[in-house]
Structures are given as C-alpha cells and as structure tokens.
Amino acid sequence: NAGVMQNPRHLVRRRGQEARLRCSPMKGHSHVYWYRQLPEEGLKFMVYLQKENIIDESGMPKERFSAEFPKEGPSILRIQQVVRGDSAAYFCASYAGGGLRTEAFFGQGTRLTVV
Amino acid sequence: AQSVTQPDIHITVSEGASLELRCNYSYGATPYLFWYVQSPGQGLQLLLKYFSGDTLVQGIKGFEAEFKRSQSSFNLRKPSVHWSDAAEYFCAVGAMGGADGLTFGKGTHLIIQP
C-alpha cells in the first residue's frame, strides 16, 4: 500500500557494514511489524513495535539486529556487521491498533543485498 | 504455535481457466485468515480476509476464499484467471495486535499460460 513508506527500496552493503532500513507507517498508525522474506520463502515475523516500545522481538536474531520506533520519525531496523545471509527483502506493516480485527498495510519493502 | 502450509509451490493455469490455491493452517484459537498477493519486486496487497461469519468471503480482483474449519483450510479461488493474475500468493493466519502478528505460508507462484 502506497501509504506505508519504506526506504531505501534497494540497499547494497559490504560484509561488516551496517544497514539501516526505515519504515514510515500510514498516518495515524502507531503499530509496526517488521518481516523478513528470504528467497523462495514466505514472510517471517521479526519484531512488533508500538511508539517508543518493543512489544515482541521474539523473531529477531539476538545479535546484530535491533529495532526502534521513536516518538517522532520512522521505525528503524538496524543490522550491524551484515553478513551474506542477511540478504533478503525486509517488509514493514503498519496498523492503527484498537483490536485484533484490523487490517495491516504493507510497505513495498527494502531489498538488502550483502556483497 | 500457529503455522500455515501452502502445498503447491508453483501452479500453472491457462488464461481463462479456473484457479484454486490451497492453504491449510494450524491455530490455537478462532483463526483470522488472509490472502495476500505479491507482484515481482512489490509489497503485499491484501486480497481478502476472514474474521468470522459467512465462511465464503469475497475479495478484490474477482477472488474468493472459503473457510472450512473441519479441514483447517482457507482455499483461494477464481473462476477465470487473467494474465495479470500472475504473481506470488501468500496465505496468512493470525491477527495484528497479537503476538507475532501474521504467520505466512511459503507462497504459491502462479504462472498464467496464454
């Protein structure tokens, strides 16, 4: 959905560098999920954030990965010291909250390539 | 733990023919079920969703899906496919606001033959 903005769309990093992926949710949405899609795979849950809080990070690797959703500005997924296995498409989904029967809207993703 | 199985990795269908994509799920409570479509290099677009009520749900682009609790299935159907339907289709279970969000299947790649 055009309302959820992810940037950059494509990111190339050398092994050992840091990757920063940004997600601006739809206006009025305060909940963000990050997913990773490996080639030939479905989307795997990584982390669920509300403004200034990490609600569930059980899908995120313990090392090198971190996420934040500050009071102002986009949500950031940070990958430190990237390795080839981090190459994937990373999607964020935002929703307004207020109950479980709420549709989420996905961004177009950031495709990370580690060389 | 919730899970989704899409048993067909690739499906080839002739343009104008009918389509059914299979989805089986495992979920501890009343499932919320979704079908998404992803075109190459794009994000996910919601086709339809099931929360409760009528087990046959209508979506966009002429798609429909039927929830069958006894079979733990939520198969996607379309009576007549168009070349523009060629894409990757993902079934998902869960709910936003819940832990883990949505759990996705591995996807079915739909190829349309002229």
Side-chain angles (χ1 to χ4, degrees):
Chain A
N1 185 291
V4 179
M5 303 302 295
Q6 289 189 248
N7 66 81
R9 290 289 306 279
H10 300 274
L11 182 61
V12 179
R13 284 287 177 266
R14 296 185 186 279
R15 282 178 293 171
Q17 291 185 320
E18 179 179 282
R20 301 188 77 182
L21 289 62
R22 296 175 187 79
C23 171
S24 296
M26 288 185 69
K27 187 176 181 180
H29 286 193
S30 59
H31 299 243
V32 167
Y33 288 79
W34 283 93
Y35 292 86
R36 177 165 62 177
Q37 183 181 32
L38 294 168
E40 308 298 323
E41 295 283 327
L43 279 72
K44 301 290 188 189
F45 165 78
M46 297 184 74
V47 61
Y48 168 32
L49 308 110
Q50 293 180 24
K51 282 283 187 181
E52 300 184 274
N53 287 303
I54 297 175
I55 305 303
D56 182 354
E57 56 183 349
S58 60
M60 201 156 64
K62 295 282 190 289
E63 298 179 354
R64 301 188 298 109
F65 286 73
S66 62
E68 63 178 10
F69 191 13
K71 186 177 181 180
E72 301 291 337
S75 175
I76 305 287
L77 178 67
R78 184 181 293 109
I79 311 172
Q80 296 177 306
Q81 298 176 319
V82 296
V83 300
R84 289 237 171 94
D86 297 331
S87 295
Y90 293 82
F91 291 92
C92 77
S94 81
Y95 91 114
L100 298 182
R101 295 189 174 195
T102 309
E103 180 182 342
F105 294 89
F106 282 81
Q108 292 194 303
T110 293
R111 281 149 183 86
L112 172 65
T113 302
V114 179
V115 297
Chain B
Q2 57 203 46
S3 65
V4 176
T5 301
Q6 293 180 247
D8 304 306
I9 298 174
H10 300 277
I11 281 189
T12 301
V13 177
S14 297
E15 190 169 13
S18 64
L19 170 71
E20 182 170 32
L21 302 182
R22 295 183 290 165
C23 172
N24 293 96
Y25 67 88
S26 172
Y27 195 70
T30 300
Y32 299 142
L33 295 155
F34 306 80
W35 275 99
Y36 285 87
V37 61
Q38 183 183 31
S39 297
Q42 299 298 314
L44 277 74
Q45 182 181 23
L46 181 67
L47 286 176
L48 47 77
K49 58 183 183 270
Y50 171 78
F51 288 154
S52 66
D54 193 347
T55 56
L56 184 64
V57 294
Q58 303 297 320
I60 62 172
K61 304 184 180 185
F63 285 92
E64 67 178 26
E66 186 171 12
F67 169 58
K68 293 185 177 180
R69 184 185 297 275
S70 61
Q71 297 177 18
S72 297
S73 69
F74 189 57
N75 294 348
L76 182 72
R77 300 194 294 250
K78 186 170 184 177
S80 177
V81 298
H82 187 263
W83 65 266
S84 60
D85 293 325
E88 193 83 17
Y89 291 80
F90 293 96
C91 180
V93 67
M96 308 314 284
D100 299 352
L102 300 180
T103 296
F104 286 83
K106 291 188 176 183
T108 296
H109 184 59
L110 177 62
I111 300 165
I112 306 296
Q113 281 183 337

